[in-house]
Amino acid sequence: MSYPERKRKKTRWSTPHSTPNPSLPDDLLLSIFARVIFARVSRLYYPTLSLVSKSFRSLLASPELYKARSLSANTESCLYVCLRCCSGYRWFTLCRKPDQTITNNKERKSSGYALARVPIPGGSPNVRSSSLVAVGSDIYNICGSINKASPSSSVSILDCRSHKWREAPSLPVELCSVSASVLDQKIYVAGCYNQVQGNGYPDSRKNSFEVLDTKTQIWETKPVPCCSGRIYNFFNSKSTCIDGKFYVVTEDRGSEVAYNSKEGRWDSKELGMGGFMFSDSYCEIDNVLYSLSDGAFRWYDTEVREWKDLNGLFQLPKFSASACVRLADYGGKMAVLWDQLPYHYGYQKEIHCAVVERPTRYEMWGKSCEIWGKVEWCDLMLTVPTSYVLVKVLAATL
């Protein structure tokens, strides 16, 4: 039985009116996708990611990425280390390394951290330990001179997002000695300048006290301290900020003077703060001053008003009095970096790093109390020529 052939009904598909909706270029889509992903990745991995390609390296330095990090509340403290060598200055940043184990005579587990070289176009200007401070994602270099014989008023800023230096408003006066600290996004600078005679030769040193508002980028000259008829010498001074005050410790180690920023006045109280601040191995964390001096870690605050031993750092080596050690506030933790010669002395030395968990205060009877710290990790970071000098360790927020 044959069936008649059925005619297929032609269906006419109606096409809607097309609207102009061009697709985004592939490179733009990749950029947007990567920016969203990278904004949620710890910056400790950025040095490794930058090795993938030039586009990744460019993306990791883009302002849009850090804006996305800020909007996603994913900012973090990033540790930066400055070393001085014969050819200038080299900067490094703490990062995570892919290889979690290293071998040194016998295999041992690594901390997983390393110091990655920061590529800075054009190199770095001259810096000093007391002239480097971090404000947000910027590192300020107050006075670009390496010795007191060449005073300077220059100020430069290292943008830790792009790793490029840029010029900032100069100081109102050329300083031959400078010590800077940060309080409420303002940089307080205590220093000295040379007063010049009519014949062009310096007559004497005069104190200078300048404050930079990092938001407006405007310098303001403040009155220098003269308390109870006593004139304090800011030459070779050290400074820190505790309890909302800018403290300056003078060179004789016995005099401290504090500037109250809210009241706009100086106060000269002998607090005993300065005895352990002249090794450049000190930092402030949560209104407590920590110092390594004469091989011992100590702490000080304005409540106890005396230096006390910092307990619990059993994993750290016994530092000699001449050891070059630098401390930094690393997001509430304490970063400790030091250099040491290896057992088989040659033409190289080692740069080590340890991170101490946020120190814990234990209240005792009366006003007596103790602070304990616990070493989170400790590891060898770099091997460098013996001519290298550890200048500064500080943390930026990105």
Side-chain angles (χ1 to χ4, degrees):
M1 182 176 179
S2 61
Y3 295 93
E5 184 178 353
R6 300 179 62 180
K7 294 183 179 180
R8 292 183 180 179
K9 186 177 181 181
K10 293 184 179 180
T11 304
R12 189 169 185 177
W13 297 95
S14 61
T15 58
H17 296 287
S18 60
T19 57
N21 186 19
S23 60
L24 295 174
D26 291 341
D27 56 347
L28 182 56
L29 286 173
L30 177 61
S31 175
I32 296 173
F33 174 75
R35 191 172 293 126
V36 173
I37 298 298
F38 289 168
R40 300 180 181 275
V41 175
S42 172
R43 198 173 181 273
L44 290 168
Y45 295 94
Y46 280 19
T48 303
L49 291 172
S50 65
L51 301 176
V52 175
S53 64
K54 289 184 178 180
S55 59
F56 270 36
R57 190 157 51 249
S58 176
L59 179 62
L60 292 171
S62 65
E64 292 81 7
L65 173 60
Y66 290 95
K67 183 178 180 180
R69 288 178 63 87
S70 179
L71 292 175
S72 61
N74 198 33
T75 58
E76 58 187 312
S77 292
C78 301
L79 200 66
Y80 280 80
V81 180
C82 179
L83 300 178
R84 184 175 74 242
C85 60
C86 297
S87 59
Y89 296 85
R90 294 187 177 181
W91 287 83
F92 299 82
T93 184
L94 188 68
C95 68
R96 295 288 292 182
K97 57 183 178 180
D99 186 9
Q100 296 297 308
T101 59
I102 61 176
T103 301
N104 184 12
N105 294 331
K106 60 180 181 178
E107 189 170 326
R108 66 182 178 88
K109 185 176 177 60
S110 168
S111 65
Y113 293 91
L115 286 178
R117 175 78 181 274
V118 176
I120 299 178
S124 173
N126 295 327
V127 300
R128 284 182 284 181
S129 176
S130 60
S131 67
L132 289 171
V133 293
V135 183
S137 60
D138 293 328
I139 294 177
Y140 283 76
N141 178 30
I142 312 296
C143 287
S145 61
I146 58 176
N147 56 65
K148 300 173 178 61
S150 55
S152 173
S153 63
S154 68
V155 179
S156 51
I157 301 173
L158 175 61
D159 187 341
C160 295
R161 299 167 298 183
S162 62
H163 291 148
K164 294 180 180 179
W165 286 96
R166 68 178 187 271
E167 293 298 320
S170 300
L171 281 159
V173 63
E174 292 186 342
L175 298 181
C176 58
S177 176
V178 59
S179 182
S181 296
V182 178
L183 178 62
D184 296 332
Q185 293 190 320
K186 291 184 178 181
I187 301 176
Y188 292 78
V189 179
C192 284
Y193 63 93
N194 294 323
Q195 190 175 45
V196 182
Q197 295 178 335
N199 56 10
Y201 292 97
D203 179 21
S204 61
R205 297 190 184 99
K206 296 294 182 180
N207 287 340
S208 173
F209 179 44
E210 315 290 337
V211 180
L212 174 65
D213 189 330
T214 59
K215 293 182 178 179
T216 63
Q217 292 290 295
I218 296 176
W219 284 100
E220 182 180 0
T221 301
K222 299 286 187 178
V224 296
C226 181
C227 305
S228 302
R230 181 176 181 177
I231 299 177
Y232 293 81
N233 184 8
F234 279 176
F235 187 74
N236 278 351
S237 62
K238 302 294 181 181
S239 65
T240 188
C241 291
I242 300 179
D243 295 333
K245 295 181 179 180
F246 173 65
Y247 288 86
V248 182
V249 179
T250 59
E251 190 178 17
D252 58 10
R253 297 194 179 198
S255 301
E256 303 122 21
V257 60
Y259 180 75
N260 190 321
S261 59
K262 294 183 178 179
E263 300 179 7
R265 63 179 179 85
W266 289 93
D267 188 14
S268 60
K269 291 183 179 179
E270 299 297 333
L271 302 176
M273 178 187 297
F276 299 107
M277 285 182 61
F278 275 82
S279 63
D280 281 331
S281 301
Y282 68 90
C283 70
E284 177 271 335
I285 303 174
D286 297 334
N287 284 325
V288 178
L289 185 63
Y290 296 92
S291 171
L292 175 68
S293 183
D294 299 328
F297 282 92
R298 299 179 177 87
W299 64 272
Y300 176 97
D301 67 9
T302 55
E303 294 181 3
V304 178
R305 293 195 176 188
E306 65 174 317
W307 286 96
K308 306 189 71 173
D309 291 336
L310 176 61
N311 302 312
L313 306 184
F314 307 114
Q315 291 178 258
L316 296 184
K318 299 295 183 181
F319 296 106
S320 65
S322 59
C324 181
V325 185
R326 296 292 181 264
L327 310 180
D329 178 3
Y330 183 32
K333 301 178 182 181
M334 181 166 64
V336 185
L337 275 91
W338 69 95
D339 60 10
Q340 70 181 38
L341 296 174
Y343 293 111
H344 302 287
Y345 176 73
Y347 296 99
Q348 292 183 320
K349 62 182 176 182
E350 300 171 344
I351 304 295
H352 293 256
C353 178
V355 171
V356 179
E357 294 180 0
R358 186 184 295 269
T360 304
R361 181 190 293 263
Y362 294 94
E363 298 292 341
M364 309 296 285
W365 51 90
K367 291 185 178 180
S368 177
C369 64
E370 295 181 352
I371 294 183
W372 286 70
K374 180 181 178 182
V375 177
E376 186 176 294
W377 59 266
C378 179
D379 206 352
L380 168 65
M381 295 284 105
L382 288 173
T383 301
V384 296
T386 54
S387 59
Y388 278 53
V389 177
L390 182 57
V391 177
K392 185 77 171 184
V393 180
L394 66 172
T397 303
L398 293 106

